Amino acid sequence: MEKLVSLCKRRGIIFQSSEIYGGLSSCWDYGPLGAEMKRNLKEAWWQKVVRERKDIVGLDASILMHSKVWEASGHVESFSDPMVDCRACRRRFRADDVEGDRCPVCGGELTDARQFNLMFKTFMGPVEEDSAVVYLRPETAQGIFVNFANVQQSMRMKLPFGIAQIGKAFRNEITPGNFIFRTREFEQMEIEYFVVPGTDEEWHRRWIEERLQWYIDLGLREDRLRLRPHGEDELAHYAKSCVDIEYLFPFGWAELEGIANRTDYDLRRHSEYSGRRLDYYDEESGKRVVPYVIEPSGGVDRALLAFLVDAYDEEEVRGEVRVVLRLHPKLAPITVGVFPLVRRDGMPEKALEIEEILRPHFNVFYDEKDSIGRRYRRMDEVGTPYGVTVDSQTMQDDTVTVRDRDSMEQERVHIRELADYIREQISSWRRPEHITEEVWV
Ligand code: GAP
């Protein structure tokens, strides 16, 4: 993890938030390359679950919502963790992280556990009074539930159908940590998939498989992924059952995404609290039903961390350590590096022309500084899958070499065919077999 955190900082992927003021605990900023990678990740999700499906539509609801939403959803009452404080050193812990009744750091006496609500509270408007209280949403899901009827009617959706959303969520976590794994501000990718009651368990199974496959297709190693059903005692207040997709991070197995069966809990509660009908008229049976909901809910930042961890590799090449991020080309922040072999003989001008040809199609980076070997290494380190080099032959026949990040092999391709060639390489990419297997735990 240390190597990855330092690579992320050095190469403009992730920075500590407010660093010049000493940083703000557990808050992180995505740098230019991190922002690109995060966009690619969200795009891959949206493409798979919205654009490629007829039965799911997207939504972009506001972060601030009526405070009644959080009463109806049960978050005001139940979205809390038990917390204990050390009377001696004043450190604060989640009660379930502490064994016994003494402080794990200084051995001091601990207070009794009390419930700590994880929602961030603020006030809307100039007056700080109870009626002005609003919360920063702790999950994007509620924006979907309160818009159930709007979406269903405006888009004439028929059961089963889903609504998908990507957006920020906020939780005042007692013990954030592990880089971007657990933070107080993060992004979620959530689907609420509405089904006919009675078909919910079958749909739950299907969504578990579907979501697991998405991570595998984007390159995560299968042996670092597992499914873990929740025990009765850890189910959220709204869930009948839940299965987590877990990844083997350097700090152990941990949740990437939860796929819950939320039953009709949310629609019924919002209907009750708002007085509005939130059900579905089934034309075939002539009956009204309150749909059940299957919810695949993943974290953008956690997924990004898993993809980075999984992609990180070091290998020895000609007596030197090569650091390489073997990211799926669809996730890599830069897709193509363009280089003149040397800074003379018209090669930089030719390479700049190629950069312009490729720019509308891919995220391209031009580099002419240092030896070609060093430039390749810089690209390997940030996971750039393809390197296009202009050499003396290019000046004669308009062909370039295309270097593959994983195999380091090069092929000669005509400039005219370059964009198609790269597109073809992206769609046929497979994780290399020979990747170094490091044992994390
Ligand atoms: N709507 C359901 C829901 O929010 P959750 O299991 O609490 O369920 C879903 O959260 C996903 O959001 C998690 O699997 C995780 O990827 C991400 N997530 C939750 N809390 C997080 C945090 N503090 N920091 C980063 N990601 C978080």
Side-chain angles (χ1 to χ4, degrees):
M1 272 298 263
E2 263 172 41
K3 283 183 185 173
L4 189 68
V5 174
S6 113
L7 172 73
C8 284
K9 175 170 177 181
R10 192 159 36 83
R11 298 307 312 273
I13 300 173
I14 300 167
F15 306 124
Q16 170 79 68
S17 159
S18 321
E19 196 189 64
I20 59 167
Y21 291 102
L24 181 62
S25 152
S26 99
C27 294
W28 303 93
D29 297 340
Y30 287 84
L33 297 193
E36 289 292 342
M37 186 175 166
K38 203 176 185 202
R39 282 183 81 95
N40 292 344
L41 176 64
K42 292 191 276 184
E43 190 55 37
W45 184 86
W46 193 266
Q47 178 67 24
K48 185 76 187 167
V49 307
V50 181
R51 297 252 165 96
E52 289 178 18
R53 297 182 67 117
K54 281 203 263 195
D55 56 345
I56 302 192
V57 288
L59 184 76
D60 189 356
S62 70
I63 289 174
L64 299 176
M65 301 171 77
H66 199 293
S67 58
K68 272 255 161 53
V69 168
W70 306 108
E71 287 172 34
S73 69
H75 283 81
V76 171
E77 195 187 318
S78 313
F79 195 60
S80 49
D81 279 340
M83 171 185 84
V84 289
D85 290 306
C86 173
R87 292 190 202 279
C89 70
R90 311 227 165 267
R91 283 193 175 81
R92 180 162 281 182
F93 307 93
R94 271 173 69 146
D96 39 16
D97 286 344
V98 180
E99 273 174 34
D101 55 4
R102 309 301 292 187
C103 171
V105 177
C106 76
E109 191 194 344
L110 294 173
T111 60
D112 287 339
R114 53 192 193 286
Q115 290 300 322
F116 173 73
N117 194 294
L118 300 182
M119 283 198 293
F120 279 98
K121 214 182 211 181
T122 186
F123 299 94
M124 191 110 140
V127 188
E128 296 194 1
E129 58 187 15
D130 283 353
S131 62
V133 165
V134 286
Y135 300 96
L136 300 187
R137 65 182 178 196
E139 60 169 9
T140 64
Q142 297 305 323
I144 297 181
F145 292 124
V146 300
N147 277 297
F148 168 79
N150 284 338
V151 175
Q152 193 267 321
Q153 286 157 20
S154 61
M155 302 301 288
R156 290 181 284 129
M157 302 302 287
K158 291 203 177 346
L159 285 185
F161 74 90
I163 305 177
Q165 170 163 233
I166 300 177
K168 289 268 184 178
F170 303 83
R171 294 183 191 176
N172 203 358
E173 299 280 3
I174 301 169
T175 47
N178 284 328
F179 196 26
I180 53 169
F181 179 81
R182 190 183 307 284
T183 52
R184 294 191 171 108
E185 172 182 344
F186 54 97
E187 240 175 320
Q188 290 187 313
M189 314 180 274
E190 298 202 296
I191 304 165
E192 305 305 323
Y193 197 78
F194 301 96
V195 304
V196 175
T199 63
D200 48 306
E201 292 188 3
E202 172 55 23
W203 277 108
H204 195 197
R205 273 191 292 278
R206 280 205 215 175
W207 273 111
I208 294 164
E209 274 172 33
E210 184 119 345
R211 292 302 306 141
L212 179 63
Q213 195 58 45
W214 184 78
Y215 291 100
I216 296 169
D217 290 346
L218 279 176
L220 286 194
R221 270 168 266 192
E222 276 188 73
D223 58 356
R224 287 196 190 164
L225 284 164
R226 73 175 185 193
L227 297 173
R228 194 185 64 82
H230 280 208
E232 284 288 323
D233 54 336
E234 55 177 330
L235 283 175
H237 60 274
Y238 48 72
K240 166 178 159 186
S241 58
C242 184
V243 171
D244 283 348
I245 298 177
E246 292 191 334
Y247 178 75
L248 184 56
F249 286 96
F251 45 85
W253 288 101
E255 174 187 348
L256 265 187
E257 170 159 347
I259 299 134
N261 183 341
R262 285 182 87 129
T263 69
D264 54 2
Y265 174 87
D266 299 88
L267 290 181
R268 280 197 190 281
R269 292 274 293 198
H270 284 303
S271 191
E272 193 185 309
Y273 278 68
S274 67
R276 300 283 282 272
R277 189 169 219 164
L278 295 176
D279 60 7
Y280 174 86
Y281 177 69
D282 182 24
E283 283 169 16
E284 265 172 46
S285 66
K287 287 189 184 144
R288 305 199 77 91
V289 289
V290 180
Y292 266 41
V293 177
I294 305 303
E295 178 195 62
S297 168
V300 175
D301 314 80
R302 262 183 209 186
L304 194 130
L305 181 60
F307 284 115
L308 284 173
V309 162
D310 212 74
Y312 186 92
D313 193 22
E314 286 177 7
E315 62 182 4
E316 207 182 295
V317 179
R318 282 182 231 108
E320 275 186 29
V321 175
R322 172 171 100 115
V323 173
V324 52
L325 286 186
R326 299 185 191 275
L327 291 168
H328 192 297
K330 284 187 186 160
L331 297 181
I334 300 168
T335 318
V336 193
V338 181
F339 321 107
L341 184 63
V342 287
R343 262 196 282 182
R344 55 168 199 272
D345 304 334
M347 290 184 209
E349 292 75 12
K350 192 76 181 170
L352 285 165
E353 266 174 43
I354 294 172
E355 187 203 5
E356 287 313 309
I357 294 173
L358 297 180
R359 191 167 284 290
H361 308 283
F362 310 104
N363 198 5
V364 188
F365 184 79
Y366 174 83
D367 192 3
E368 58 175 32
K369 192 169 180 293
D370 299 325
S371 72
I372 192 70
R374 290 185 73 166
R375 282 178 271 165
Y376 286 155
R377 289 290 174 278
R378 281 202 290 266
M379 287 290 99
D380 290 341
E381 221 182 25
V382 294
T384 307
Y386 311 108
V388 169
T389 304
V390 168
D391 55 15
S392 52
Q393 193 175 330
T394 315
M395 307 313 288
Q396 289 162 21
D397 64 5
D398 262 3
T399 62
V400 290
T401 59
V402 182
R403 173 185 180 268
D404 179 273
R405 172 199 68 200
D406 298 324
S407 64
M408 292 180 284
E409 281 166 12
Q410 306 194 4
E411 263 197 60
R412 277 212 96 82
V413 179
H414 198 281
I415 294 171
R416 201 185 322 116
E417 284 148 18
L418 198 50
D420 282 343
Y421 174 85
I422 292 167
R423 249 184 241 115
E424 161 61 30
Q425 295 294 309
I426 295 173
S427 56
S428 60
W429 183 84
R430 290 281 168 281
R431 196 188 173 83
E433 294 292 325
H434 69 270
I435 188 156
T436 323
E437 284 299 332
E438 268 183 278
V439 178
W440 295 115
V441 286

